[in-house]
Amino acid sequence: MCGIVGYIGNKSVVEILMDELSKLEYRGYDSSGIAINADGKIKIYKAEGKLQNIKDLLKDYENETKSAKIGIGHIRWATHGSPTEINAHPHTCNCGKLVIVHNGIIENFKELKEELIKQGCVFTSQTDTETVAHLVAQEYNKVKDLTEAVRLASKKLQGAYALGIMHQDLP
Ligand code: GLU
C-alpha cells in the first residue's frame, strides 16, 4: 500500500517530505520519490528500495534542494509496472512541468494511454499513473486552471485513486 505526502509552507520541504514518508513506511513499499519546485523549476528524485536510498541520493543534491518550500512525495507499492526507479513516482508529462503522485489503480489506463500516444504524448514508464499526468497536463494546456484540469481529467478516469499534483507555473 502506498503513501502520498505534500507540503507548501515556509520550511525546507525536503526534510518535511522525508519525515512524513518515514511515518508511512510501515505500510510497505518498493520504491520512493519526491518532486519539488526549486527556484522555479520542477525537480524529481527517485530511488528503488528503502527510503534510506532516496535519503542518501538527496545528500548529493542538497545545494539545489535546500531553498525549496513546496513539494510532493510518494512511497510506491507497484501495481502496474515493475518496482524500478523509472516506474517510481512522481510521474510527469511531455513538458515536465506537471508532476503527480498517485495511490490506487486507473482501470482504463490502457485505452487512455493508446489515445494519448496517438495525440503525441511520450511515455517513459509502464505505470497507469503516467496516464493521469499526461491527461491532466493536456486539460491544463486547454483551460489554464489546474483544479479544473484535474476535475476534467478525473471524469475520464475509472478506478479508485488519490492524487497529489503540482505544476511548475503555480508555485
Ligand atoms: N498504480 C500505481 C503504480 O503502480 C500506484 C500504486 C500505489 O498505490 O503505490 O505505480
Side-chain angles (χ1 to χ4, degrees):
M1 200 192 281
C2 87
I4 291 175
V5 296
Y7 175 80
I8 179 167
N10 294 320
K11 295 185 180 157
S12 176
V13 67
V14 171
E15 214 172 296
I16 290 175
L17 294 178
M18 285 303 130
D19 283 352
E20 297 309 313
L21 288 176
S22 299
K23 289 180 196 161
L24 299 172
E25 273 193 289
Y26 74 94
R27 295 155 69 97
Y29 63 99
D30 52 53
S31 54
S32 59
I34 65 166
I36 58 171
N37 187 323
D39 299 321
K41 285 255 176 294
I42 293 287
K43 301 243 163 90
I44 301 174
Y45 309 88
K46 305 181 186 192
E48 263 181 61
K50 289 281 160 206
L51 209 52
Q52 191 57 46
N53 297 344
I54 193 162
K55 287 181 182 165
D56 291 342
L57 173 83
L58 286 164
K59 281 182 197 147
D60 297 337
Y61 294 94
E62 253 170 36
N63 278 348
E64 68 181 43
T65 63
K66 65 182 175 212
S67 63
K69 297 188 167 52
I70 175 170
I72 53 177
H74 188 260
I75 49 174
R76 177 174 186 238
W77 186 268
T79 64
H80 293 68
S82 48
T84 59
E85 188 186 320
I86 286 177
N87 287 334
H89 302 205
H91 289 286
T92 188
C93 57
N94 279 15
C95 73
K97 287 185 175 182
L98 183 135
V99 276
I100 179 167
V101 289
H102 160 225
N103 179 4
I105 291 173
I106 307 302
E107 284 163 5
N108 59 335
F109 89 98
K110 271 196 192 135
E111 300 89 297
L112 293 171
K113 186 171 177 174
E114 276 167 23
E115 195 49 42
L116 288 161
I117 287 172
K118 277 188 209 152
Q119 291 164 11
C121 295
V122 178
F123 282 73
T124 54
S125 79
Q126 304 162 305
T127 63
D128 50 342
T129 305
E130 194 181 347
T131 309
V132 188
H134 288 289
L135 202 58
V136 176
Q138 209 176 50
E139 297 294 351
Y140 180 76
N141 289 338
K142 284 185 223 153
V143 298
K144 300 288 177 208
D145 175 328
L146 188 57
T147 310
E148 186 57 15
V150 174
R151 213 173 274 137
L152 291 168
S154 64
K155 284 189 186 158
K156 298 180 184 166
L157 301 176
Q158 286 163 16
Y161 53 86
L163 304 167
I165 300 178
M166 190 168 75
H167 197 288
Q168 182 170 290
D169 294 348
L170 304 165

